[in-house]
Structure formats: structure tokens, C-alpha cells
Amino acid sequence: SSTAELTRRFILASHKEWTQTGAAEEPPELASLQPLVDLMFAKALDEKEEEHMKQCCLHSLERKHLLAQKNYLDLIHGSKTWVTGGLLYISSDEPKGNERMWGQKWRKIADKGSLLDDAVTQKALQSFKRLLSFHEKAP
């Protein structure tokens, strides 16, 4: 997809630029960012997450760093479902017709995974965040 290719190119160009600046701090290893690129090419992210990733890259390139950071936060926190799920609760429905009793039903909130649940993806996202921060500090 075009978003996956944009992300891959952003990561490679950012890493190259960081390496060429001779900054005291080492850039994240490309191998640590590869799982994120793989997720993008595998279409493992939903549309919202993919859009946030795209906006992170574009805003960072446009030097709109606050918007890039906001999209990063939306990416990582927006993928977390509140309530986290896996819960059962009882709810009551109104009495129907000539019934006198309120109907009680067990309802389940399904558990949705988060991008931060996987340690490898979490490290890749942290490395991506470092690239965003590098662009923010760059002259």
C-alpha cells in the first residue's frame, strides 16, 4: 500500500539523515523498526491506525511536529480499547408487552488487542517515536 511505502521510505530517510548528522546519540537500529514496516505491508493495522501512521510521517516531513506527535499518541492510545474488554455484566431490558418482570441479560464486552500488547511492535513504535523526536530537534 502507499501508506506502507511512505512509512518505509520515511524510516529509511530519517535513519540515513540521523546517521549523517553525526549526532552523539545513536539512531534506532533499522532491524528494530522492521516489524512496524512488516505490519504496514501485511495490512495488519486497521484504517484508523494506518491513517495515523501516514499522518505521523507527513506532518513530521512538513515540520508540523506537534501534529505528528498527536497522531503518534492517537496511534498508540487509540488502538487501546477502554474498557479493555473481556468483561461480563448484567443489564436489564424493559418489560415487554404484558410482562411484569424486567428481563436481565448477560452481556459481554469483547477484548480487542492493542498495538502495545506485542513487545516487538512496542519496541518498533518506540524506535519510530525516536525518529519523530529527531526530526523535531533537527535544525
Side-chain angles (χ1 to χ4, degrees):
S1 88
S2 61
T3 302
E5 185 60 25
L6 170 69
T7 304
R8 186 185 72 78
R9 288 181 180 194
F10 175 81
I11 288 171
L12 290 174
S14 300
H15 191 274
K16 183 178 179 181
E17 184 179 336
W18 191 334
T19 308
Q20 289 175 346
T21 61
E25 188 179 358
E26 288 291 316
E29 294 180 22
L30 284 175
S32 70
L33 289 154
Q34 190 59 43
L36 188 58
V37 174
D38 293 343
L39 276 176
M40 298 293 294
F41 276 105
K43 294 264 189 206
L45 303 180
D46 65 27
E47 283 183 35
K48 280 185 181 179
E49 292 167 341
E50 197 170 309
E51 183 61 25
H52 288 308
M53 196 69 189
K54 177 181 174 183
Q55 292 303 319
C56 280
C57 297
L58 292 176
H59 288 312
S60 185
L61 291 170
E62 295 169 350
R63 302 194 58 78
K64 297 178 181 175
H65 302 297
L66 190 59
L67 289 172
Q69 300 286 358
K70 180 193 177 304
N71 274 282
Y72 175 80
L73 289 174
D74 289 343
L75 172 70
I76 61 168
H77 293 300
S79 71
K80 188 72 177 156
T81 304
W82 308 99
V83 169
T84 55
L87 301 175
L88 286 173
Y89 67 98
I90 293 180
S91 69
S92 299
D93 293 333
E94 291 184 30
K96 293 180 179 71
N98 60 358
E99 295 176 358
R100 292 187 173 160
M101 300 292 292
W102 285 65
Q104 290 187 338
K105 293 182 181 177
W106 281 96
R107 303 193 192 269
K108 180 173 173 55
I109 298 175
D111 194 10
K112 178 189 180 284
S114 165
L115 285 174
L116 300 176
D117 289 343
D118 178 38
V120 175
T121 306
Q122 183 178 10
K123 184 175 181 188
L125 285 167
Q126 288 170 342
S127 296
F128 183 76
K129 171 71 168 80
R130 288 185 62 208
L131 291 179
L132 292 177
S133 297
F134 165 75
H135 279 287
E136 190 171 349
K137 294 174 189 171

